[in-house]
Amino acid sequence: MTTMTVAKPAVRTTMGPVPRWAGWAAQATMWCAVPSGIWRILFGLGLPAGFTGSQDPDNGPWYVLPYVIGLTVLSEALAFLSMGLVRPWGEIWPRWVPYLRGREIHPLAAIIPAALGSVALMLIWIPMLFVEFEPDPELPHGSKGMILWLCYAPLAAWGPLLAAVTVAYAIRRRRYG
């Protein structure tokens, strides 16, 4: 009696071990963008978010909802790219990419955009935590203002998390190829 052996597909791994914290930080970057995206979509759907006057979504143009959905999808897609810094598809082009599939990704092709992105995110979102805005009667106040702030505050962590994951990627690629 012969036994048939089924070959398991090769599991692709990264070029060297990914620190556990770097994997968690890469995943956290995606979660940083979720609350603001949910808030934006609800706002686009007409959620009474506390805006008045020209900021009131009921007074807005027809394209507010498609715009906020597009912005949310773009934000999440950019946040998802940080996973490439801790996964094999950030080192070797995936099979579904024509002409490049299977080729090694030059480390700087990932490091430079990720580093620039992390700096841009920090310049945009970290100051928002500390800047005190002049009172604007059209902006949300009270509990609605606090909800808005709580939904956007996690974005301040996105840049530093991406910077840490980028440094870990650069060190790993330098050490292991």
Side-chain angles (χ1 to χ4, degrees), residues 141-168:
H141 294 80
S143 61
K144 290 180 180 177
M146 182 56 71
I147 291 170
L148 174 63
W149 189 85
L150 288 173
C151 287
Y152 275 82
L155 291 173
W158 185 0
L161 287 168
L162 179 57
V165 174
T166 303
V167 169

Side-chain angles (χ1 to χ4, degrees), residues 1-12:
M1 181 164 158
T2 61
T3 59
M4 197 156 114
T5 309
V6 177
K8 293 182 181 177
V11 176
R12 293 185 53 190

Side-chain angles (χ1 to χ4, degrees), residues 13 27 33 39 42 45-46 48-49 52 59 61 63 108 122 125 135 145 152 159 161 172:
T13 60
Q27 290 176 24
W39 188 93
L42 292 174
L45 289 170
T52 59
N59 297 336
Y63 56 82
L108 291 178
M122 287 187 272
W125 295 112
Y152 275 82
L161 287 168
R172 186 168 43 82

Side-chain angles (χ1 to χ4, degrees), residues 85-107:
L85 300 173
V86 297
R87 298 282 192 259
W89 55 268
E91 299 170 355
I92 304 291
W93 287 101
R95 287 180 290 167
W96 54 267
V97 178
Y99 306 110
L100 297 174
R101 67 179 64 126
R103 293 184 185 174
E104 184 177 331
I105 296 172
H106 192 281

